[in-house]
Amino acid sequence: MGVIKRVVKPSSARGKKHIINREPKIIENHKQTLFLQGHKTSPIAVQCLKDFYHLKKPDGKMMSRKNDILPFEDVTPIEGFSRKNDASMFCFASHNKKRPNNIVLGRTYDHNLLDMFELGIENFKALASFPASKFCYGAKPCLIFSGEPFEMNHDYKRLQNMLVDFFQREVVKGIRLQGVEHVLSFTAVNEKVYLRSYRILLKKSGSRTPRVELEEIGPSVDFVMRRNKLASDELFKLACKKPRALKAKKVQNIKRDAFANKLGRVHLTKMSMEKLQTRKMKGLKKSYADRKKERTELKERRASKTTGAKRA
């Protein structure tokens, strides 16, 4: 016998506004991320968690208490936190003898687990250990993925999709050159993922286009993939489905490329190659015999037309 859930109606305008804000929308709010610590953690895992939190500000929430949670055994507590805080992504730090310095990145769909990855930290250099000046909070990072596994391996492809989802911010229509000031580079090689963070410096080049230089600002992390729990292809396809209202109406003979440039197809009548004007060159000039032959044929055609007219 099923349990009937009690529907709690809001008693104030503020509560009603809060419930409406959590309802499904055609254009969803940008994703919030929860940062949690396990029952046992290490200084390296906690510092990596805090650096990820600084990279996500202001779209993240750091949970102050430690939680006795094992995501790969029971993810229900994290789903409860996700529902309570209206957050669709989470970053979890833990540490034990078998799997030291653990970071678990995951996301939910309809506040139920979609997929998650367990990454082990092998080499770590914190954000504060770099003396270089940092980027502005809230800046959209430029994400760079390199390495054959991101193109050939299914697990690494899904990890790439997770990292794009994790570090992206609100969708914007345009961005100016000076606004691109932060780069996150992910390199997959030898079953490891190397994360490097750079600040973009635009220097004078003597021309209109500035000279671009990269300055490492941290954090610097070498990850090794340990475990993962992936959604089925049907569930993943359902999570990526766009509402019909957001789908652009198809216009005949109009399409867009990968950079959103509009391309059109124009239909023309069949072109006569004989009347096509080409470059005039002495080598292509008709000989005297060809011109004489053309004049003779033209006179014959005119004569035949005159004869036909007289007979009529």
Side-chain angles (χ1 to χ4, degrees):
M1 185 175 178
V3 178
I4 301 175
K5 293 184 178 180
R6 184 168 60 93
V7 178
V8 180
K9 294 185 178 180
S11 59
S12 63
R14 184 178 179 182
K16 185 177 180 180
K17 185 178 179 181
H18 178 71
I19 292 177
I20 292 175
N21 188 45
R22 290 195 174 193
E23 290 180 350
K25 306 177 182 65
I26 295 178
I27 301 177
E28 292 287 350
N29 305 331
H30 50 275
K31 298 181 178 180
Q32 295 290 326
T33 306
L34 285 178
F35 293 87
L36 309 102
Q37 296 184 34
H39 182 65
K40 291 181 66 177
T41 55
S42 64
I44 293 177
V46 171
Q47 189 58 49
C48 183
L49 184 76
K50 290 181 179 179
D51 285 356
F52 274 24
Y53 171 65
H54 285 295
L55 293 177
K56 283 288 293 181
K57 276 184 177 180
D59 300 332
K61 182 177 181 180
M62 177 71 76
M63 308 292 284
S64 57
R65 295 182 180 180
K66 292 186 176 182
N67 304 274
D68 191 8
I69 300 174
L70 299 174
F72 281 86
E73 279 69 30
D74 183 16
V75 77
T76 307
I78 294 181
E79 292 176 345
F81 286 134
S82 170
R83 190 174 294 104
K84 183 178 179 181
N85 296 276
D86 195 23
S88 56
M89 307 204 72
F90 64 89
C91 182
F92 180 82
S94 63
H95 175 79
N96 55 55
K97 187 177 180 180
K98 188 177 181 181
R99 297 182 180 89
N101 304 325
N102 246 358
I103 290 291
V104 179
L105 297 178
R107 53 186 171 180
T108 61
Y109 170 66
D110 197 18
H111 302 302
N112 294 314
L113 179 68
L114 182 66
D115 47 18
M116 61 181 173
F117 291 86
E118 186 179 66
L119 305 174
I121 303 171
E122 291 197 343
N123 295 312
F124 175 70
K125 201 172 180 183
L127 188 68
S129 61
F130 289 85
S133 58
K134 304 301 184 284
F135 56 90
C136 296
Y137 288 126
K140 288 178 69 68
C142 176
L143 305 180
I144 300 175
F145 294 90
S146 56
E148 187 178 353
F150 284 132
E151 299 178 359
M152 307 297 294
N153 190 298
H154 178 263
D155 292 348
Y156 281 87
K157 281 183 180 180
R158 191 65 66 85
L159 176 62
Q160 178 184 0
N161 187 274
M162 164 84 74
L163 292 171
V164 171
D165 212 11
F166 189 85
F167 286 105
Q168 76 169 355
R169 298 186 184 273
E170 63 275 5
V171 179
V172 295
K173 294 183 179 179
I175 188 168
R176 62 191 181 96
L177 182 61
Q178 289 78 7
V180 184
E181 58 180 24
H182 186 208
V183 174
L184 288 175
S185 173
F186 300 91
T187 305
V189 62
N190 297 330
E191 298 182 354
K192 293 183 180 180
V193 178
Y194 299 92
L195 166 63
R196 299 294 183 266
S197 177
Y198 302 96
R199 184 169 182 264
I200 298 177
L201 303 176
L202 302 178
K203 300 293 186 69
K204 293 182 179 180
S205 62
S207 63
R208 197 172 177 185
T209 305
R211 188 178 80 255
V212 179
E213 292 185 1
L214 298 180
E215 182 181 20
E216 191 169 3
I217 60 174
S220 173
V221 196
D222 295 352
F223 286 118
V224 57
M225 191 186 297
R226 288 176 176 163
R227 292 184 291 176
N228 60 62
K229 186 177 286 187
L230 303 180
S232 62
D233 293 338
E234 293 78 11
L235 181 59
F236 187 76
K237 186 177 180 180
L238 179 63
C240 296
K241 187 177 180 180
K242 289 185 178 180
R244 186 176 295 178
L246 286 180
K247 293 182 179 179
K249 293 183 179 179
K250 189 175 180 180
V251 183
Q252 191 175 6
N253 299 326
I254 299 293
K255 63 179 182 179
R256 294 184 180 272
D257 60 7
F259 301 99
N261 296 320
K262 186 184 288 188
L263 304 176
R265 179 180 294 178
V266 181
H267 296 275
L268 301 174
T269 56
K270 188 176 180 180
M271 185 178 293
S272 175
M273 303 303 294
E274 296 178 355
K275 297 181 180 179
L276 185 65
Q277 178 63 47
T278 58
R279 185 179 178 184
K280 295 181 179 180
M281 297 176 61
K282 290 185 177 180
L284 299 176
K285 191 175 181 181
K286 294 181 180 179
S287 63
Y288 174 76
D290 293 337
R291 294 199 301 272
K292 185 176 180 182
K293 186 178 179 181
E294 286 183 359
R295 287 196 298 270
T296 305
E297 291 176 353
L298 182 61
K299 288 180 180 179
E300 290 177 355
R301 287 198 297 269
R302 288 178 178 175
S304 61
K305 288 181 180 179
T306 307
T307 306
K310 288 182 179 179
R311 289 177 180 176

